[in-house]
């Protein structure tokens, strides 16, 4: 049997050699195996070298100088003693790869045999351990297994690229340094003037014994800034802590409440922390603690106690596993695993033409890959359990020279495992990076954090971001007017929700006046907020699916108005760039002229168009000055999921109600889950890695049934209101002309009803109609109130009625209601009654806004009954505001559709588009009917959302 087996191996080896011989004669293969010897030549599989370091020395030998070199790594674990440095700069290519897709691991750690772990027997150690773990925790003296470099814990969190102390990994998963609490945080109670001392809300430290190296990790002031500090002094009895240094942004009282996170908003963020590196809190499976004074590692195994022989326990030792040196070029790393590095898996600065492909990088103290340069390709990698996935930058910003870097077809998950803020899935800077077809899943902070210019982000899938911080986004950037040319398209964002106190989290966050981003053709699904525009300019948001928000679809503001926000900082940063030279002016013409604007901090030029919004009972927009600075047009708002093909499967193709909208706006079919994320196998082939579960059902969706038809909603009320929504039964005038009914007109008493013949109770000025079109234009007619008051003089009182529509108003003095009863106050009169309260308390007789603001609260006071709408009328101008139920549409003129009434209740919108309940949906109908009427710029259409007493016209 042994002879036969050896024969098979020989045949396989000969076939393998023949395969390599087919390579070009300009290629050299160097073989390495953990079972080899560095005294070997390494030029065939029978005599491999033992270390990669020795193989790298051979690439400068005379026989390899002008040839491509492939270092073939045979299966096994390569335990590095120090950082593996690659200095290749030649024109020929150096490749280090897993030979024939074998299972290769390059590790910065050392394996501890399972048999080395023993039960804890020392009384001092047992005293420190919680009673629940004393018979579960195992220990090993690290020097007995050859580990003497334990490292030291240093500050981490908030954009620190952490250099970890010794960490422990069990069967490829990181263990947790013992801490309290295991989940959630402790609130700060009182702070002191030294800015580093405080009291806290817990008695847990009173149970500890002999803890001398305690750290704390928390969000000390903001919920977007975490940092860990060593404890200088701890008094458990007084619940008092003094830190080694003041936290970055200060300390404040905390309001963390794990049972009511949704209530812990912006004003209750920060001021909470947890204890770290506490042996007395080694209290659950997967915890560990290193006693650095005695050199002993304590572990509570995740599964079985004691460990099995098959368990792989590694501790990290080497800071960075692989360093590609400055100026290196033409290097390929492919097909193996890199793990257990205290800082980076790979670092490469000022390099070019570097390819990192089909790697698995896991269990690093900071970023799995940290690179800077040009023509860097990072593809098909699987990166997990890190404090950051990929950091990449390159190009020249001043000359706008693109880096041509590419990050594609990677899976990056579980990042930000120890330090949170700044441990991004992908951190992207410079000019001209292309980030596409990646999955980013479960990040403590943001998935993709970018800065600077001309990046393209497409076909990525981001979900479960902002798990430990607030005021962040699945993708985010901020505070730079000059960072233009960035495009975000054809991506999926979902399940990005706030889980800690603080400001909102968003699918995409354009923070602090960031400008000029194109966001198009994306799918946003089940996020708190889908997109945020934080006061920026010239952003374009178009043809996206905004499906199901728990707060609102878009959050927009004008924080830089009148020089507020970060306007001065932005101007200072802008002036450091040649933004007005020929190159920049040609590329970004709107940026070149930004300072010619009197108020460059205003959010001018934002376009929100051709999007599909879906949400039930949630506002679609939250923000200030929407109409003034944001062009929100040609969108549609739908409450019904049946207008999308199969949302549970991630298929948001518009159907049924949305079919016509999609055709009219050339809305593309939304990108499917199968088309985002990696197109190819990620990580080493031997690991057989697959995409993580991302929240959609798999398989083929069931066939969509017929579109459901509903009975159209009926108008909530048919009584007369002065806006002309139903026929005028109070004044029986002709259906042509502009009419007046004068009760009092002191300067012209002949106009008054009591002075006119009964056959002529109304007055019509035919001569005026011929001059000003008041007989054919409702607005001109009703706006004649001020003119007629001037003619009649003080004490006048009259009505103005526009015959063709029946719309009317009152002229004279004071603030009035038009009301038809108040269910809550039965004695309240009906008809036109004086609003005495407004006149007495808010100067309603002389301030139009005070008078008209009374309609909505009075309607609500009366019970918000749809059958009893109410209008406020300010008689000195005749202006009206109506409060009641429903969405009502008024068309100034409708040349393209004579069947459309002058003012009507939007029954279709109420039935299918939630227009009676959603103000944005109601307002969007003004634009819809304007187009239906022929898109005439001179004829406005107005939508009245009576439940809020508000209206909006288009255009």
């Amino acid at each position: 049997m042994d002879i036969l087996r050896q024969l098979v191996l020989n045949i396989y080896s000969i076939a393998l050699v023949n395969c390599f011989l087919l390579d070009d004669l300009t290629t050299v293969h160097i073989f390495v195996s953990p079972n080899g010897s560095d005294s070997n030549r390494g030029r065939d599989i029978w005599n491999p070298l033992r270390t990669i370091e020795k193989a790298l020395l051979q690439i400068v030998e005379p026989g390899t100088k002008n040839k491509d070199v492939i270092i073939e790594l045979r299966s096994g674990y390569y335990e590095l003693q120090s950082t593996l440095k690659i200095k290749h700069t030649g024109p020929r290519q150096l490749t280090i790869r897993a030979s024939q897709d074998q299972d290769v691991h390059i590790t910065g750690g050392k394996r501890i045999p399972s048999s080395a772990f023993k039960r804890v027997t020392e009384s001092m150690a047992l005293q420190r351990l919680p009673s629940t773990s004393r018979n579960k925790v195992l220990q090993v003296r690290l020097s007995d297994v050859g580990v003497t470099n334990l490292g030291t814990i240093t500050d981490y969190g908030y954009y620190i690229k952490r250099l970890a102390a010794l960490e422990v990994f069990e069967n490829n998963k990181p263990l947790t340094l013992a801490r309290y609490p295991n989940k959630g945080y402790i609130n700060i109670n009182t702070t002191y003037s030294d800015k580093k001392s405080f009291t806290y809300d817990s008695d847990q430290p009173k149970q500890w014994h002999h803890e001398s190296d305690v750290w704390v990790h928390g969000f000390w002031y903001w919920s977007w800034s975490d940092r860990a500090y060593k404890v200088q002094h701890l008094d458990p009895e007084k619940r008092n802590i003094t830190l080694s240094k003041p936290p970055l942004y200060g300390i404040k009282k905390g309001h963390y409440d794990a049972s009511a996170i949704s209530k812990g908003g912006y004003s209750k963020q920060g001021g909470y922390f947890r204890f770290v590196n506490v042996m007395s809190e080694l209290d659950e499976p997967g915890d560990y603690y290193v006693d650095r004074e005695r050199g002993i590692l304590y572990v509570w195994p995740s599964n079985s106690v004691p460990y099995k022989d098959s368990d792989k326990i590694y501790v990290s030792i080497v800071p960075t596993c692989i360093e590609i040196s400055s100026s290196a070029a033409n290097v390929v790393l492919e097909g193996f695993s890199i793990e257990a590095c205290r800082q980076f898996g790979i670092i490469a600065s000022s390099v070019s033409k570097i390819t990192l492909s089909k790697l698995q990088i896991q269990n690093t103290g900071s970023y799995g890959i940290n690179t800077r340069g040009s023509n860097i390709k990072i593809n098909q990698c699987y990166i997990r359990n890190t404090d950051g996935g990929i950091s990449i930058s390159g190009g020249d910003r001043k000359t706008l020279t693109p880096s041509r870097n590419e990050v594609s077809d990677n899976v990056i998950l579980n990042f930000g495992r120890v330090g949170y803020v700044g441990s991004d899935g992908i951190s992207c800077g410079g000019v001209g990076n292309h980030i596409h077809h990646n999955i980013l899943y479960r990040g403590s902070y943001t998935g993709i954090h970018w800065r600077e210019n001309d990046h393209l982000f497409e076909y990525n899938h981001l979900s479960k971001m902002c798990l430990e911080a607030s005021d962040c986004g699945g993708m985010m950037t901020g505070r730079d007017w000059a960072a233009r040319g960035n495009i975000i398209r054809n991506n999926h964002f979902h399940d990005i929700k706030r889980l800690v106190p603080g400001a909102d989290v968003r699918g995409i966050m354009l923070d602090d006046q960031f400008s000029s981003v194109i966001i198009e053709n994306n799918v946003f699904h089940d996020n708190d907020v889908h997109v945020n525009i934080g006061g920026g300019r010239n952003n374009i948001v178009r043809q996206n699916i905004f499906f199901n928000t728990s707060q609102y679809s878009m959050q927009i503001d004008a924080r830089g108005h009148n020089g507020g926000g970060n306007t001065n900082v932005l101007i200072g940063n802008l002036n450091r760039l040649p933004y007005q030279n020929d190159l920049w002016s040609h590329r970004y013409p709107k940026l070149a002229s930004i300072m010619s604007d009197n108020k460059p901090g205003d959010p001018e030029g934002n376009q929100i168009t051709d999007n599909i919004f879906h949400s039930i009972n949630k506002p679609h927009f939250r923000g200030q000055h929407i109409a003034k600075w944001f062009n929100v047009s040609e969108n549609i708002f739908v409450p019904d999921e049946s207008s999308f093909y199969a949302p549970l499967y991630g298929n948001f193709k518009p159907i049924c109600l949305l079919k016509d909208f999609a055709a009219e706006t050339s809305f593309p079919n939304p990108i499917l889950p199968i088309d985002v994320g990696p197109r190819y196998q990620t990580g080493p082939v031997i690991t057989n890695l697959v995409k993580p579960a991302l929240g959609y059902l798999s398989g083929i969706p069931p066939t969509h049934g017929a579109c459901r038809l509903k009975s159209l909603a009926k108008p909530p009320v048919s009584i007369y209101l002065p806006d002309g929504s139903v026929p005028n039964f109070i004044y029986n005038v002709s259906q042509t002309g502009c009419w007046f009914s004068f009760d009092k007109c002191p300067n012209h008493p002949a106009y008054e009803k009591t002075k006119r013949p009964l056959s002529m109770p109304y007055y019509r000025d035919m001569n005026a109609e011929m001059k000003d079109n008041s007989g054919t234009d409702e607005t001109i007619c009703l706006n004649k109130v001020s003119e007629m008051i001037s003619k009649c003089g003080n004490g006048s009182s009259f009505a103005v009625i526009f015959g063709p529509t029946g719309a009317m108003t009152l002229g004279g003095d004071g603030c009035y209601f038009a009301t038809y009863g108040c269910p809550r106050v039965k004695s309240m009169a009906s008809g036109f009654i004086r609003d005495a309260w407004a006149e007495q308390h808010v100067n309603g007789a002389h301030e139009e806004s005070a008078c008209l603001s009374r309609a909505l609260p009075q309607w609500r006071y009366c019970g918000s009954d749809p059958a009893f709408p109410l209008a406020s009328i300010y008689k000195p101008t005749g202006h009206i505001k109506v409060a009641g139920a429903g969405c009502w549409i008024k068309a100034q003129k409708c040349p393209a559709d004579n069947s459309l009434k002058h003012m009507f209740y939007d029954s279709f919108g109420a039935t299918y588009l939630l227009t009676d309940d959603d103000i944005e949906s109601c307002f969007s109908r003004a634009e819809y009917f304007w187009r239906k009427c022929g898109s005439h710029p001179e004829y406005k259409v107005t939508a009245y959302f009576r439940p809020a007493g508000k209206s909006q016209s288009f255009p």
Side-chain angles (χ1 to χ4, degrees):
M1 181 63 72
D2 290 341
I3 295 175
L4 180 60
R5 183 178 181 183
Q6 187 61 48
L7 179 61
V8 171
L9 287 174
N10 289 341
I11 293 172
Y12 172 77
S13 299
I14 293 170
L16 193 60
V17 170
N18 287 336
C19 177
F20 289 133
L21 289 175
L22 292 175
D23 278 352
D24 191 292
L25 294 177
T26 60
T27 302
V28 173
H29 293 266
I30 302 174
F31 295 88
V32 185
S33 168
N35 300 316
S37 170
D38 281 349
S39 62
N40 290 334
R41 178 73 171 148
R43 297 305 173 88
D44 57 62
I45 60 174
W46 296 284
N47 298 286
L49 298 167
R50 186 174 186 276
T51 66
I52 306 171
E53 290 86 345
K54 184 68 173 178
L56 287 171
L57 291 176
Q58 291 198 11
I59 66 175
V60 296
E61 292 182 355
T64 61
K65 241 180 182 181
N66 297 315
K67 295 181 180 180
D68 290 342
V69 175
I70 301 177
I71 298 177
E72 305 276 2
L73 304 181
R74 309 294 285 169
S75 65
Y77 279 76
Y78 295 81
E79 292 187 0
L80 300 174
Q81 303 305 305
S82 61
T83 297
L84 179 67
K85 295 187 177 182
I86 302 171
K87 299 180 179 180
H88 181 73
T89 59
R92 306 295 293 191
Q93 182 169 289
L94 167 64
T95 300
I96 304 175
R97 71 185 184 188
S99 182
Q100 297 293 294
D101 296 326
Q102 294 185 28
D103 190 13
V104 174
H105 297 257
I106 296 177
T107 175
K110 182 175 179 60
R111 183 173 181 177
I112 301 178
S114 302
S115 59
F117 288 91
K118 308 297 181 184
R119 297 278 185 177
V120 179
T121 58
E122 295 179 357
S123 59
M124 181 179 292
L126 290 171
Q127 184 185 23
R128 292 178 68 182
L129 289 171
S131 59
T132 55
S133 62
R134 288 169 186 164
N135 63 343
K136 302 291 187 181
V137 173
L138 305 177
Q139 71 172 48
V140 61
R141 188 173 295 278
L142 291 167
S143 60
D144 291 346
V145 291
V147 177
T148 56
N149 180 1
L150 308 185
T152 57
I153 302 174
T154 58
D155 297 359
Y156 59 84
Y158 196 62
Y159 294 99
I160 292 177
K161 288 184 167 63
R162 182 175 68 111
L163 174 59
L166 178 142
E167 294 187 292
V168 185
F169 306 98
E170 178 190 284
N171 299 321
N172 294 323
K173 295 182 179 180
L175 300 188
T176 301
L177 186 58
R179 66 189 189 183
Y180 179 83
N182 293 315
K183 295 181 180 179
Y185 297 90
I186 303 166
N187 280 315
I188 294 169
N189 279 343
T190 306
T191 63
Y192 296 106
S193 59
D194 66 355
K195 300 182 180 180
K196 62 178 184 176
S197 299
F198 57 91
T199 63
Y200 58 89
D201 185 17
S202 176
D203 283 325
Q204 186 69 14
K206 294 179 182 180
Q207 304 175 33
W208 300 347
H209 299 279
H210 310 296
E211 298 294 348
S212 60
D213 190 21
V214 178
W215 284 68
V216 284
H217 175 221
F219 292 84
W220 306 101
Y221 200 95
W222 303 108
S223 290
W224 45 261
S225 175
D226 68 314
R227 190 62 68 89
Y229 300 101
K230 184 176 175 60
V231 173
Q232 181 177 306
H233 174 75
L234 171 63
D235 185 339
E237 295 302 322
K238 295 182 179 179
R239 298 182 175 182
N240 185 282
I241 289 177
T242 299
L243 304 179
S244 59
K245 64 181 74 172
L248 181 61
Y249 292 107
I251 309 176
K252 70 178 181 181
K253 180 179 174 62
H255 302 277
Y256 183 85
D257 183 355
S259 65
I261 290 299
S262 62
K263 298 179 181 179
Y266 183 87
S267 63
K268 294 185 177 181
Q269 65 180 305
Y272 53 85
F273 71 100
R274 62 169 63 106
F275 291 101
V276 180
N277 197 45
V278 183
M279 183 174 175
S280 301
E281 294 299 333
L282 208 164
D283 60 354
E284 65 179 12
D287 280 0
Y288 78 95
Y289 176 80
V290 179
D291 186 331
R292 284 179 168 74
E293 292 183 1
R294 305 173 65 215
I296 298 176
L297 168 64
Y298 297 91
V299 175
W300 184 338
S302 300
N303 297 314
S304 60
V305 179
Y307 280 124
K308 299 176 183 178
D309 291 342
S310 59
D311 287 322
K312 294 179 180 178
I313 301 92
Y314 270 83
V315 295
S316 61
I317 297 175
V318 175
T320 290
C321 284
I322 298 176
E323 177 184 342
I324 303 176
S325 299
S326 176
S327 300
N330 299 307
V331 175
V332 177
L333 305 183
E334 182 179 24
F336 51 83
S337 294
I338 303 170
E339 54 202 47
C341 321
R342 287 188 179 176
Q343 192 171 35
F344 305 118
I346 300 171
I347 186 169
S349 299
S350 301
V351 297
S352 63
K353 297 182 181 178
I354 304 295
T355 299
L356 309 175
S357 182
K358 300 179 183 177
L359 302 172
Q360 176 178 250
I361 302 176
Q362 60 184 2
N363 303 331
T364 63
S366 185
Y367 276 81
I369 299 173
N370 186 12
T371 60
R372 179 169 56 86
S374 62
N375 291 290
I376 300 169
K377 312 297 181 187
I378 303 173
N379 57 68
Q380 293 180 252
C381 294
Y382 190 91
I383 302 173
R384 62 178 179 177
N385 302 332
T386 64
D387 261 17
I390 296 170
S391 178
I392 189 166
S393 63
D396 187 312
R397 193 180 192 194
K398 288 189 175 181
T399 63
L400 296 178
T401 303
S403 67
R404 296 187 176 85
N405 294 331
E406 182 178 12
V407 178
S408 66
D409 301 291
N410 304 286
V411 172
I412 306 171
L413 70 159
N414 299 336
F415 45 93
R417 62 180 177 85
V418 177
Y420 300 147
V421 179
S423 298
D424 309 318
I426 298 174
S427 176
C428 167
V431 181
N433 291 292
H434 189 192
I435 314 295
H436 64 100
H437 288 97
N438 302 286
I439 283 177
L440 297 107
Y441 181 67
R442 296 195 61 82
S444 292
Y445 195 52
T446 190
I448 300 176
H449 200 161
W450 88 92
R451 57 201 178 277
E452 300 170 322
N453 298 64
D454 297 341
H455 307 305
L456 174 59
F457 307 95
E458 58 183 346
Y459 301 103
N460 301 292
H461 197 155
L462 297 93
S463 63
K464 299 284 187 183
M465 299 295 125
C466 306
L467 297 180
E468 297 287 348
S470 65
D471 204 2
C472 75
M475 288 184 66
M476 66 180 292
T477 187
R479 206 172 295 186
D480 192 345
W481 277 338
R484 304 208 165 202
N486 298 294
I487 300 173
I488 305 172
R489 68 188 183 198
N490 295 322
N491 304 282
H492 270 237
F493 300 83
H494 74 85
D495 206 18
I496 300 170
K497 300 182 177 182
R498 182 168 62 83
L499 302 177
V500 298
D504 304 316
V505 302
R506 303 94 174 178
I508 296 176
M509 178 178 173
L510 307 182
D511 198 17
D512 287 343
Q513 298 165 253
F514 199 89
S515 300
S516 192
V517 180
I518 295 175
I519 301 172
E520 61 184 0
N521 309 136
N522 301 285
V523 170
F524 298 88
H525 175 210
D526 281 312
N527 305 303
D528 277 353
V529 179
H530 296 313
V531 172
N532 155 264
I533 299 177
R537 303 164 62 95
N538 305 123
N539 297 292
I540 297 173
V541 182
R542 65 191 177 203
Q543 295 192 318
N544 300 282
I545 297 286
F546 293 111
F547 185 87
N548 205 25
T549 171
S550 54
Q551 288 185 269
Y552 27 81
S553 296
M554 290 193 65
Q555 179 188 54
I556 60 183
D557 64 58
R559 66 186 67 178
H561 179 47
N562 287 332
N566 298 283
T567 299
N568 290 334
V569 174
L570 290 162
I571 291 172
N573 293 337
L574 185 65
N575 288 332
R576 296 185 184 96
L577 293 167
Y579 74 99
Q580 290 182 318
N581 70 12
D582 290 344
L583 172 65
W584 278 68
S585 297
H586 177 73
R587 191 80 63 86
Y588 316 123
K590 291 181 179 178
L591 177 65
S593 60
I594 191 170
M595 295 310 297
S596 62
D597 193 326
N598 290 330
K599 297 181 178 179
D602 289 355
E604 299 282 359
N606 292 290
Q607 308 287 323
I608 303 171
T609 61
D610 292 338
N611 300 285
I612 297 176
F613 291 86
H614 164 272
S615 191
I616 299 175
N617 298 325
K618 296 291 181 182
H620 294 289
F621 291 93
R622 179 179 182 270
Q624 311 154 346
H625 314 294
I626 294 176
K628 183 174 182 180
W629 286 305
F630 293 79
N631 172 24
V632 182
S633 62
E634 300 186 52
N635 304 290
I636 192 168
F637 305 84
V638 294
D640 195 346
E641 289 189 12
S642 66
S643 294
F644 303 90
Y645 188 81
L648 293 177
Y649 292 80
N651 186 336
F652 294 91
K653 179 180 179 180
I655 58 172
C656 297
L657 181 64
L658 292 171
K659 193 172 182 179
D660 289 343
F661 173 83
E664 291 168 4
T665 59
S666 299
F667 197 95
N669 281 335
I671 195 74
L672 295 172
I674 195 173
D675 296 320
V676 295
R679 296 162 292 179
Y680 319 106
Q681 168 74 38
T682 58
V685 173
I686 193 70
T687 59
N688 194 30
L689 299 172
V690 296
K691 292 183 182 181
L694 290 173
Y696 296 126
L697 296 179
S698 59
I700 300 174
T703 302
H704 197 278
C707 299
R708 292 178 294 175
L709 298 177
K710 302 177 183 179
S711 298
L712 295 183
K714 296 180 179 179
V717 65
S718 59
I719 63 175
Y720 177 74
L721 282 171
D723 56 12
S725 50
V726 296
N728 192 330
F729 62 84
I730 299 176
Y731 295 96
N732 186 22
V733 298
S734 166
Q735 292 186 354
T736 60
C738 181
W739 297 85
F740 301 87
S741 176
F742 293 94
D743 291 325
K744 292 183 180 180
C745 185
N747 291 349
H748 301 279
Y751 289 168
E752 297 177 10
K753 284 192 293 185
T754 56
K755 305 292 194 307
R756 297 176 66 81
L758 292 176
S759 60
M760 298 177 62
Y762 307 113
Y763 171 78
R764 179 183 181 188
D765 190 340
M766 300 287 287
N767 291 328
E769 290 181 14
M770 294 176 63
K771 297 176 182 178
D772 60 18
N773 296 321
S774 57
T776 56
D777 190 304
E778 177 186 285
T779 302
I780 296 174
C781 174
L782 299 183
N783 280 341
K784 293 179 76 69
V785 167
S786 299
E787 176 188 335
M788 298 311 296
I789 289 175
S790 177
K791 285 185 178 180
C792 288
N794 294 334
S796 59
S797 177
F798 56 90
V800 184
I801 310 100
F802 184 62
T805 66
M808 64 164 289
T809 190
L810 302 180
D813 299 323
C815 179
Y816 277 70
F817 284 134
T819 178
Y820 299 91
C822 178
R824 188 175 174 183
V825 183
K826 303 293 185 183
S827 61
M828 183 174 175
S830 296
F832 297 110
I833 63 173
R834 198 158 197 139
D835 186 353
W837 190 95
E839 294 185 354
Q840 293 171 12
H841 294 87
V842 295
N843 199 28
H846 304 288
E847 290 187 14
E848 179 180 284
S849 60
C851 173
L852 299 184
S853 69
R854 292 277 293 137
L856 185 59
Q858 185 66 25
W859 179 64
R860 289 173 176 170
Y861 172 77
C862 288
S864 302
D865 192 320
F868 293 88
L870 181 144
S872 283
I873 306 173
Y874 183 61
K875 290 184 69 176
T877 62
H879 293 164
I880 296 171
K881 180 171 286 188
V882 176
C887 176
W888 298 75
I889 307 297
K890 177 182 265 188
Q892 197 171 352
K893 188 174 285 189
C894 192
D897 189 350
N898 292 328
S899 67
L900 206 64
K901 293 172 59 178
H902 167 70
M903 186 170 186
F904 58 92
Y905 171 68
D906 187 4
S907 295
F908 183 90
T911 304
Y912 290 104
L913 304 176
L914 215 67
T915 52
D916 280 3
D917 304 293
D918 186 281
I919 190 168
E920 285 92 7
S921 187
C922 175
F923 287 167
S924 73
R925 299 289 281 169
E927 179 185 3
Y928 169 80
F929 284 107
W930 178 75
R931 297 188 185 285
K932 186 176 175 66
C933 287
S935 303
H936 295 279
E938 66 272 29
Y939 301 137
K940 290 186 176 183
V941 176
T942 303
Y944 295 87
F945 187 66
R946 285 183 176 173
K950 294 182 178 181
S951 63
Q952 191 172 101
S953 298
F954 193 92

